[in-house]
Amino acid sequence: YMATIPEIEERSHVLWATEDARTLDESVELRRLLTALETEMPPGDFYTHVLDVLYMPARAAQQFMQQYRESQKAS
């Protein structure tokens, strides 16, 4: 089952909003969700969307996705 974009957004927003209270597992989940969301969206729309819908700076999203990709290579 692949989550829909609204489901991914909703969960990502919840996780992003937890900030300092976010657990390691939740951080990993947020990285995975952002990466999944990026693959589902038209290329130019992703960062605008992250900012407008998740209220997450593009730079933060990039860092999360980079961490996710690095963890995938390592495993």
Side-chain angles (χ1 to χ4, degrees):
Y1 166 74
M2 183 64 202
T4 64
I5 289 176
E7 289 169 334
I8 293 171
E9 289 169 351
E10 185 179 341
R11 182 67 182 144
S12 298
H13 186 67
V14 167
L15 290 170
W16 174 245
T18 59
E19 294 188 37
D20 296 338
R22 198 180 309 126
T23 66
L24 181 59
D25 285 348
E26 287 172 335
S27 290
V28 170
E29 183 183 1
L30 181 56
R31 293 172 195 151
R32 183 183 60 76
L33 288 169
L34 286 169
T35 304
L37 184 61
E38 184 188 36
T39 62
E40 294 294 316
M41 299 203 63
D45 294 348
F46 177 71
Y47 289 107
T48 305
H49 196 77
V50 161
L51 192 58
D52 292 348
V53 175
L54 304 180
Y55 306 108
M56 177 188 290
R59 186 179 185 94
Q62 286 174 324
Q63 288 171 334
F64 275 112
M65 291 188 300
Q66 184 63 38
Q67 290 166 340
Y68 179 76
R69 291 185 182 113
E70 286 170 8
S71 74
Q72 293 305 293
K73 284 183 212 160
S75 58

